[in-house]
Amino acid sequence: MDESNNTRERTEKPTSEKSTQDAWLLNTLLENSSEGVFVVDRRGLIVRVNQAMCRIMQARQGDLLGRHARRFNFQSPNGDDLFETVYDALWQNGFWQGEVTGARQFGKPFRGLLRVNGILPPGGKLRLWVGQITDVVQGESHDNTDCDHSSLDPLTGLPSRTLFEDRLQQAMSQAERHDHSVGVMYLGLSGDRIKMVRNSLGQEAADKVMVTIAERLSETLRVSDSIARIDSVTFALLLSDINKGAGAIRNAGVVARKVYDSLDIPIVIGDQDIEMYAAMGITLHPQDGEDVPELLRNAETALSHARQKGWNNYQFFSTEMTETARKRFELESDLRRAIDRDELRLFYQPQVDLETGTIIGAEALIRWMHSTKGMISPGDFIPV
């Protein structure tokens, strides 16, 4: 009797609990596998790597996630374009296997056996590739690396701000060694447009808009560049190893125009054509910032300046932008204390009848007599 009850209890275990256990078991097997395992989405972007893959490549998760599969730099022994070979094989029979060579994160060569399978969900449309690689060069120690899987945006699959900052730091270090420049572009979408889509077509439609924009932005960049979703309506683009000086400005401007060309095509949701508005701020290293926080802060300043100019334009950062922002902030802070300091003065400007010369009224005006800066022009403080 007791055995019968135990059997019934086991069979009545909630499905959700079983799913959780299955997911835990799968993750445990993956992370303890001696083979490097990676998952690539239909855009060719890496969305998952296990610890063994990080060790084989001698790279951190942040070096791999969100990057294009070409980032692995696998080569076939005969010199063919391995990516195209694998891609064609997956579409024909869903599987590819062969020996590959490549270079680890710090240039050390490796040789391995690579197997790639296409995953076909119900409906039959290829969505993911799963790759497994066995490092056949034995006896070489690999550095332990950090594979934290919490640094991707759950909606778009793009890197988060933390992962973007890590990549930016690496790009800046590399650019300094090669005497190159690095560009950071902040793309801010119109929050009102996203809200309009959400209110009229639903959250799913708004999510589809964001995913579509993420895909289009990814297609505008080189394999060596990177993109991240910074917040709900802001994307960050990293341009690595670009020429210095005027060349950097020219290169960033070309990418900016490509971005706006990609956004110029309406996004189709059902029978609705949705147009998106955006503004972009661009900053360059080393001229606009010596470290990551300064560079990102200046990119935000440039984006704010671009938004003031109107949608669908881009603005480069300059020290003048920072000075303007600083002065406005200072003026706003002083204006909040102006009443307590008794700095606001009331003036009456007479209105005169020109025919008779008689005063027929007066216009009441507020003027600001700053305690240290003297009279502040109304043109400066009224907009604040």
Side-chain angles (χ1 to χ4, degrees):
M1 185 66 176
D2 291 339
E3 184 177 348
S4 174
N5 289 338
N6 290 338
T7 302
R8 183 166 58 252
E9 288 176 3
R10 287 195 298 269
T11 58
E12 291 175 355
K13 184 172 288 186
T15 303
S16 60
E17 182 178 342
K18 184 178 184 302
S19 299
T20 301
Q21 290 177 342
D22 290 346
W24 173 84
L25 179 60
L26 178 61
N27 188 69
T28 301
L29 291 172
L30 183 66
E31 291 306 323
N32 286 277
S33 172
S34 60
E35 291 188 324
V37 181
F38 60 93
V39 181
V40 178
D41 68 12
R42 61 189 178 89
R43 295 171 290 171
L45 302 182
I46 304 164
V47 298
R48 180 71 190 266
V49 289
N50 69 346
Q51 293 282 353
M53 194 69 198
C54 292
R55 287 194 297 270
I56 291 172
M57 298 303 297
Q58 292 188 349
R60 295 176 295 177
Q61 181 210 36
D63 301 323
L64 303 174
L65 287 179
R67 306 295 289 272
H68 197 275
R70 291 185 185 274
R71 173 67 177 81
F72 290 133
N73 197 29
F74 294 147
Q75 304 291 329
S76 63
N78 60 12
D80 292 341
D81 187 327
L82 184 65
F83 185 83
E84 294 298 332
T85 300
V86 174
Y87 187 83
D88 291 341
L90 287 172
W91 279 105
Q92 291 176 15
N93 52 39
F95 175 78
W96 184 89
Q97 176 175 305
E99 185 175 305
V100 299
T101 60
R104 310 184 200 279
Q105 173 79 355
F106 300 104
K108 295 182 180 180
F110 74 88
R111 181 166 55 91
L113 179 65
L114 175 64
R115 296 181 297 278
V116 186
N117 290 277
I119 297 179
L120 294 174
K125 190 174 182 180
L126 184 64
R127 291 293 183 185
L128 296 171
W129 304 346
V130 176
Q132 296 172 270
I133 186 165
T134 303
D135 192 355
V136 299
V137 179
Q138 302 296 328
E140 180 176 344
S141 63
H142 304 308
D143 296 334
N144 290 328
T145 50
D146 178 20
C147 279
D148 177 14
H149 300 290
S150 62
S151 52
L152 292 181
D153 174 53
L155 176 62
T156 63
L158 295 175
S160 65
R161 183 186 185 102
T162 301
L163 185 51
F164 183 81
E165 290 177 354
D166 181 66
R167 289 186 180 170
L168 176 57
Q169 181 61 65
Q170 295 179 47
M172 290 168 63
S173 299
Q174 185 174 359
E176 289 169 0
R177 289 196 297 270
H178 296 90
D179 196 29
H180 284 174
S181 186
V182 171
V184 173
M185 313 170 80
Y186 265 21
L187 182 76
L189 304 176
S190 168
D192 290 339
R193 296 290 290 179
I194 297 295
K195 182 178 180 181
M196 179 199 70
V197 173
R198 184 170 57 249
N199 291 343
S200 58
L201 301 177
Q203 184 62 50
E204 185 177 350
D207 289 345
K208 184 177 180 181
V209 168
M210 297 304 297
V211 170
T212 301
I213 291 174
E215 291 175 348
R216 292 184 181 181
L217 293 178
S218 298
E219 292 170 357
T220 65
L221 298 181
R222 303 168 301 173
V223 174
S224 59
D225 297 332
S226 185
I227 179 175
R229 190 182 183 197
I230 299 300
D231 59 37
S232 60
V233 294
T234 307
F235 293 88
L237 287 71
L238 169 61
L239 309 181
S240 59
D241 277 336
I242 55 178
N243 295 330
K244 271 192 170 182
I249 297 174
R250 182 170 56 253
N251 292 341
V254 169
V255 175
R257 287 190 290 273
K258 287 182 178 179
V259 167
Y260 281 125
D261 286 344
S262 72
L263 297 180
D264 193 46
I265 304 171
I267 299 172
V268 180
I269 305 291
D271 58 353
Q272 299 288 327
D273 288 349
I274 300 172
E275 296 182 352
M276 285 306 301
Y277 306 142
M280 182 186 295
I282 305 173
T283 188
L284 302 170
H285 169 76
Q287 54 264 54
D288 296 333
E290 293 296 328
D291 54 36
V292 170
E294 183 182 13
L295 204 61
L296 296 184
R297 185 169 59 250
N298 291 342
E300 292 176 355
T301 299
L303 173 58
S304 176
H305 186 67
R307 281 177 168 148
Q308 294 174 14
K309 294 287 186 179
W311 293 118
N312 299 334
N313 82 95
Y314 62 87
Q315 297 292 318
F316 283 91
F317 173 80
S318 68
T319 54
E320 288 77 10
M321 291 183 200
T322 301
E323 184 64 16
T324 298
R326 185 194 64 78
K327 287 182 177 179
R328 181 182 175 88
F329 179 79
E330 183 180 90
L331 194 66
E332 183 176 324
S333 299
D334 287 349
L335 185 56
R336 293 181 186 277
R337 296 188 291 266
I339 294 179
D340 294 336
R341 294 174 175 175
D342 195 27
E343 294 177 351
L344 300 182
R345 300 284 187 266
L346 181 61
F347 286 79
Y348 292 99
Q349 181 168 294
Q351 296 177 331
V352 179
D353 186 325
L354 295 181
E355 292 185 355
T356 64
T358 305
I359 296 177
I360 58 175
E363 182 181 4
L365 304 173
I366 287 292
R367 291 291 181 261
W368 182 8
M369 183 63 72
H370 195 282
S371 57
T372 60
K373 299 177 182 177
M375 188 71 76
I376 304 296
S377 169
D380 291 334
F381 78 83
I382 288 178
V384 176

